[in-house]
Amino acid sequence: MNERLSQALNECPSSLANALLPYLNSDTFHASFSATEVIALQQSSGLSSTELALALLPLAASYAFAPLSDFKVGAIAHGASGRWYLGANMEFITTPLQQTVHAEQSAINHAWISGETRLNQMTVNYTPCGHCRQFMNELNCAEQLLIQLPDTPPRTLPFYLPHAFGPKDLGITHALFDPQIHAMTMHHDPLINAALSAASQSYAPYTHAYSAVALLLDTGQRVTGRYAENAAFNPSLPPLQSALIILRLQGYDPSSITRAVFVEIAGAAISQKSATLATLSALGCHDIETLTFTTNG
Ligand SMILES: [Zn+2]
């Protein structure tokens, strides 16, 4: 187990730390707990569901990659399936601050990429910033989403974001986490194919600029990320950040990237290409392929 996970365990109640050990010692632990595992953790730690989620926040925050601020934020997205997805903030030196990922975005993206179709709750160790409140307002569960903070009763997102501006104000009737399938031709190269497959599920109702990133790691593993657009535009999560979140939650650092593929739809009004290339280059990845595609449906 690495040092940051051991440190996180030290911040947990001892009954929970003992129960977490088998998970954290496993190579297959990827920063989430199934519904069954959540119940088992509650039973072995004696904590209620809310107490357990709050007690797991130091573990979530241990995934932070914050070389600029050293400020570690942890979040848990509670999927409708019962699975809990951890997330943490990410910062990238030598890139603009706009490339930063917030913990709530990390946990939500984690759940989205893992196939979750709805969230019930977010548990966070600090009050969500305005950027994250707007990001969460794009979710298909925005009206009902519960926000749980330490020492504060749970409240729904509309409490934290009254008089909200969202997809409906722009005439969009579906939302983030609703199924997205943009049919497109697949490719024989597995990494390119992974990027195309992710792009086919990206969410871009305002620009239709579907895009995704696939990363090959020095372990041979592939991770993908897809674009999640926002009605207020700026809180949109770029496809590279979506992939970097997954990379981090699987226990890797950006330095482990050996090859990257970026794909986006041809002819869209906006492009993620230059920002993606610049950030990948800042992270030390120079083997980058970029492709455009057209939908076949
Ligand atoms: Zn935030």
Side-chain angles (χ1 to χ4, degrees):
M1 187 191 313
N2 67 41
E3 196 186 325
R4 60 184 176 75
L5 289 178
S6 331
Q7 227 169 5
L9 274 189
N10 288 337
E11 294 179 48
C12 291
S14 58
S15 60
L16 176 59
N18 289 336
L20 283 172
L21 262 179
Y23 296 99
L24 303 191
N25 279 327
S26 158
D27 290 339
T28 56
F29 178 70
H30 287 153
S32 76
F33 298 98
S34 71
T36 310
E37 291 167 343
V38 167
I39 290 167
L41 285 174
Q42 277 182 252
Q43 285 170 344
S44 47
S45 66
L47 298 173
S48 69
S49 174
T50 300
E51 289 167 340
L52 175 63
L54 292 169
L56 286 172
L57 287 174
L59 177 63
S62 76
Y63 287 90
F65 184 78
L68 285 170
S69 69
D70 199 32
F71 186 71
K72 294 176 179 161
V73 187
I76 300 172
H78 300 246
S81 71
R83 185 173 277 275
W84 292 7
Y85 301 87
L86 309 191
N89 55 318
M90 295 187 79
E91 302 162 354
F92 310 104
I93 52 171
T94 78
T95 71
L97 287 179
Q98 282 81 0
Q99 302 300 312
T100 303
V101 172
H102 294 216
E104 294 90 327
Q105 291 181 300
S106 168
I108 290 167
N109 176 75
H110 188 189
W112 186 47
I113 296 288
S114 303
E116 204 67 48
T117 55
R118 193 174 175 87
L119 299 180
N120 296 328
Q121 182 179 316
M122 292 293 298
T123 303
V124 197
N125 61 352
Y126 293 99
T127 187
C129 73
H131 177 86
C132 288
R133 294 177 197 205
Q134 185 67 51
F135 185 78
M136 290 188 280
N137 195 48
E138 196 71 25
L139 294 167
N140 61 1
C141 60
E143 294 285 318
Q144 296 83 31
L145 183 68
L146 279 176
I147 312 284
Q148 177 71 61
L149 304 173
D151 306 319
T152 307
R155 311 263 202 194
T156 61
L157 179 61
F159 172 85
Y160 288 101
L161 192 69
H163 312 294
F165 175 82
K168 286 180 190 149
D169 295 301
L170 293 174
I172 300 298
T173 52
H174 60 286
L176 186 58
F177 274 57
D178 285 338
Q180 307 285 319
I181 298 289
H182 317 294
M184 58 190 65
T185 307
M186 291 303 163
H187 198 277
H188 58 87
D189 179 301
L191 197 64
I192 294 174
N193 200 39
L196 286 167
S197 177
S200 80
Q201 297 171 77
S202 62
Y203 173 79
Y206 310 104
T207 65
H208 306 289
Y210 307 116
S211 62
V213 165
L215 305 173
L216 182 66
L217 311 187
D218 53 14
T219 57
Q221 196 177 349
R222 285 191 296 268
V223 297
T224 57
R226 57 200 192 209
Y227 180 40
E229 205 158 67
N230 189 277
F233 287 11
N234 296 74
S236 301
L237 185 70
L240 176 60
Q241 272 71 359
S242 170
L244 291 171
I245 288 166
I246 301 303
L247 171 146
R248 182 64 173 167
L249 293 170
Q250 294 195 354
Y252 299 102
D253 286 338
S255 60
S256 62
I257 304 168
T258 58
R259 181 185 165 216
V261 171
F262 166 74
V263 299
E264 69 181 348
I265 197 160
I270 66 158
S271 174
Q272 308 283 345
K273 183 176 171 180
S274 57
T276 303
L277 293 177
T279 302
L280 277 169
S281 177
L283 293 172
C285 173
H286 304 290
D287 182 357
I288 309 166
E289 285 161 77
T290 65
L291 285 91
T292 58
F293 61 85
T294 52
T295 56
N296 61 6

